[in-house]
Amino acid sequence: MDAPLRIGLAGLGTVGTSLISLLSRQADLLAQRCGRPLQITAINARDKSKDRGVSLANMQWEEDPVALAKSDEIDVFVELMGGEDDPALSSVTAALEAGKHVVTANKALLAKHGVALADLAEERGLLLNYEAAVAGGIPIIKVMRESLTSNAVSRVFGILNGTCNYILTRMETDRISFDECLADAQALGFAEADPTFDIEGNDTAHKLAILASLAFGTRIAPDAIYLEGITSITIEDIEAARDLGYRIKLLGVATKTAGGVESRVHPAMVPLGSAIAEIGGVTNAVAVEADTVGSLMMSGPGAGGDATASAVAGDICDIAKSRPGHQHGPVLGQPAGTLLPHERAPMASHAGGYFIRMSTVDQPGTMASIATRMAQQEISLESIVQRKVRDDTGAAPIILVTHETTEQAIRKALEGIAADGRLKGEAQMIRIEKLA
Ligand code: NAP
Ligand code: HSE
């Protein structure tokens, strides 16, 4: 058996400590499968005195992640700190410049600097592996980067954030508040250090940006993604959706259109009984639609220490199996220098059905205003229901579902209804996702 692969690990939080446990627990199996033992030889985090709940014996503490990244005592640098800039960026860059392979679970870093880092890794003939960065334990990066090479992808979409899916599921099944669900997700180690990245949709956007690059051969472009999080979703929306035969999911969707790539992250209605509607809790799902393979969907745990560590360990094992001088495949499926500019399709041209929930003034003419404004935009309604007037506000809740229309049309219709003085507060608008 070859000499152990010496690992430098920066980040000893949820994922870092799970990785330490996993490499210890599965040491024999991993050594057998990787052809050499995997050994964490040096570590770094912010607080040296913190009890991590795992043994750090025989691991040298480094004060600085950049020094760790370029240390002569390691062969591979594993970045599990998080954050889109330093020290994640400086340490990963330092590792590659020092000739070390890198593994990271950091989608924020890759969304912002992935192309430059891929370029550097390819120039130096090094591996930059990031399976855990998208959909936790689901091996979607390998599938997109390697297994689907012969396919022209038309759409990639899915539930890409475990925290949000956990919150939406528990709001529906347990009828508990958004804040309580989020606190539980944090306690379970699913959420980002700053959970607004989860609930405002940024984390999903980071992952979608990486998937879109792999799918369409374009540069990673997180800023080209239309973004809405789940903070405005109420138990009322979830129940209204269910009454209409839908479930609300936070989706990331990237579609190739004639006008460019339409990338969007927002809560979406998916039909009850569809495979994606059945994905509950922290589970993620990624669906790919392509010309040769057709449609496929992978699901599995999208967050949490063990699931994420499983993906990180797989990436480390690939490095352990690689041989010096071997030419590695490109980081983003094709050489970073050949990635096309990302052409963004405008969200205004998005076509689909819409669910609208409005609090309206309970007066004659409200229904007429809604019907007129919708007709002016040539929007055809699938259903419209007025619920009992609320005792507390005197508002009449109206829920409608449209047939396919455009984002531009629906926004204009809602502006018109508001201008007619018919709305109490903002209308809730949730897109209905067309599934194959
Ligand atoms: P975490 O629990 O917050 O742990 C982060 C670790 O990084 C901590 O040990 C922290 O040190 C260390 N750290 C943070 N800033 C640092 C700095 N400036 N210098 C040195 N060390 C620093 O995070 P996590 O949940 O393990 O996530 C780690 C990475 O994996 C992130 O990129 C995240 O997006 C990604 N990820 C997480 C999951 C998940 O389910 N949690 C899933 C997939 C991907 P201290 O402990 O001393 O404060
Ligand atoms: N906070 C992320 C999530 C971690 O909830 O999905 C996995 O990337």
Side-chain angles (χ1 to χ4, degrees):
M1 192 169 285
D2 290 349
L5 182 81
R6 300 168 305 163
I7 299 162
L9 170 61
L12 302 174
T14 302
V15 185
T17 53
S18 295
L19 181 71
I20 292 173
S21 300
L22 176 62
L23 296 195
S24 160
R25 198 168 65 241
Q26 302 285 42
D28 292 344
L29 179 81
L30 283 164
Q32 202 177 352
R33 293 189 172 162
C34 305
R36 56 202 293 204
L38 307 182
Q39 201 176 327
I40 299 176
T41 51
I43 51 175
N44 161 267
R46 276 179 300 217
D47 181 356
K48 188 177 179 183
S49 64
K50 204 188 263 185
D51 178 8
R52 308 278 168 184
V54 290
S55 168
L56 305 179
N58 302 321
M59 298 175 195
Q60 187 183 324
W61 181 270
E62 276 282 358
E63 288 299 334
D64 172 23
V66 175
L68 170 62
K70 54 189 185 193
S71 162
D72 289 338
E73 304 302 315
I74 68 164
D75 304 308
V76 50
F77 177 63
V78 178
E79 186 280 301
L80 296 175
M81 295 179 286
E84 63 180 10
D85 291 313
D86 291 343
L89 177 61
S90 49
S91 58
V92 168
T93 304
L96 294 171
E97 284 175 342
K100 319 281 178 195
H101 298 293
V102 171
V103 176
T104 180
N106 188 341
K107 51 271 167 161
L109 173 75
L110 293 169
K112 188 167 177 187
H113 303 288
V115 176
L117 292 172
D119 216 10
L120 178 59
E122 287 163 20
E123 186 191 304
R124 304 289 166 111
L126 295 165
L127 283 159
L128 168 57
N129 288 347
Y130 55 96
E131 188 61 75
V134 180
I138 305 175
I140 188 64
I141 300 300
K142 276 195 184 174
V143 167
M144 303 266 322
R145 191 166 61 175
E146 298 166 25
S147 316
L148 298 180
T149 308
S150 69
N151 283 264
V153 175
S154 49
R155 177 164 71 157
V156 58
F157 71 101
I159 295 169
L160 302 175
N161 184 273
T163 300
C164 288
N165 206 45
Y166 176 86
I167 292 172
L168 292 173
T169 305
R170 289 209 61 207
M171 280 173 78
E172 180 178 356
T173 55
D174 301 342
R175 294 198 96 253
I176 55 176
S177 73
F178 187 100
D179 289 346
E180 206 178 326
C181 295
L182 174 58
D184 285 353
Q186 288 179 283
L188 289 163
F190 303 156
E192 295 303 300
D194 175 358
T196 56
F197 277 84
D198 296 290
I199 60 179
E200 298 292 0
N202 311 77
D203 179 74
T204 300
H206 292 150
K207 294 165 180 169
L208 184 67
I210 296 167
L211 290 178
S213 172
L214 290 167
F216 307 124
T218 49
R219 295 172 71 81
I220 304 175
D223 295 342
I225 297 175
Y226 173 82
L227 191 60
E228 267 177 40
I230 62 164
T231 49
S232 73
I233 301 295
T234 60
I235 290 180
E236 218 178 342
D237 292 320
I238 290 171
E239 291 180 345
R242 198 177 49 208
D243 291 348
L244 291 162
Y246 293 99
R247 184 162 283 139
I248 299 173
K249 295 291 181 190
L250 182 73
L251 294 187
V253 186
T255 311
K256 183 125 193 188
T257 74
V261 177
E262 181 189 286
S263 301
R264 50 197 166 86
V265 170
H266 53 75
M269 312 271 268
V270 292
L272 287 174
S274 62
I276 202 133
E278 298 305 313
I279 303 295
V282 73
T283 307
N284 282 190
V286 188
V288 182
E289 293 165 2
D291 57 352
T292 313
V293 73
S295 298
L296 62 83
M297 188 171 110
M298 297 174 75
S299 63
D306 281 348
T308 312
S310 158
V312 173
D315 277 350
I316 296 173
C317 198
D318 281 349
I319 291 169
K321 286 189 271 192
S322 73
R323 289 290 164 257
H326 174 80
Q327 196 60 41
H328 302 297
V331 176
L332 293 164
Q334 66 184 62
T338 70
L339 292 166
L340 299 170
H342 181 99
E343 276 181 40
R344 177 186 191 166
M347 191 60 191
S349 58
H350 168 71
Y354 288 80
F355 160 99
I356 313 283
R357 181 171 60 79
M358 294 178 266
S359 280
T360 64
V361 289
D362 184 28
Q363 280 173 2
T366 292
M367 275 292 186
S369 157
I370 294 169
T372 305
R373 293 297 190 171
M374 291 285 166
Q376 281 170 350
Q377 299 302 323
E378 298 185 1
I379 298 169
S380 161
L381 300 185
E382 184 181 299
S383 70
I384 182 161
V385 180
Q386 178 172 342
R387 296 255 165 94
K388 198 168 149 302
V389 174
R390 287 178 54 158
D391 293 337
D392 53 345
T393 60
I398 292 181
I399 291 166
L400 63 86
V401 173
T402 76
H403 286 296
E404 182 164 315
T405 179
T406 65
E407 182 92 5
Q408 189 175 30
I410 200 80
R411 286 197 181 276
K412 279 194 177 156
L414 289 177
E415 274 165 30
I417 297 164
D420 290 345
R422 299 294 168 179
L423 289 185
K424 287 194 164 195
E426 289 234 333
Q428 172 70 290
M429 179 185 87
I430 304 178
R431 298 165 189 84
I432 299 172
E433 192 62 26
K434 268 186 290 184
L435 300 178

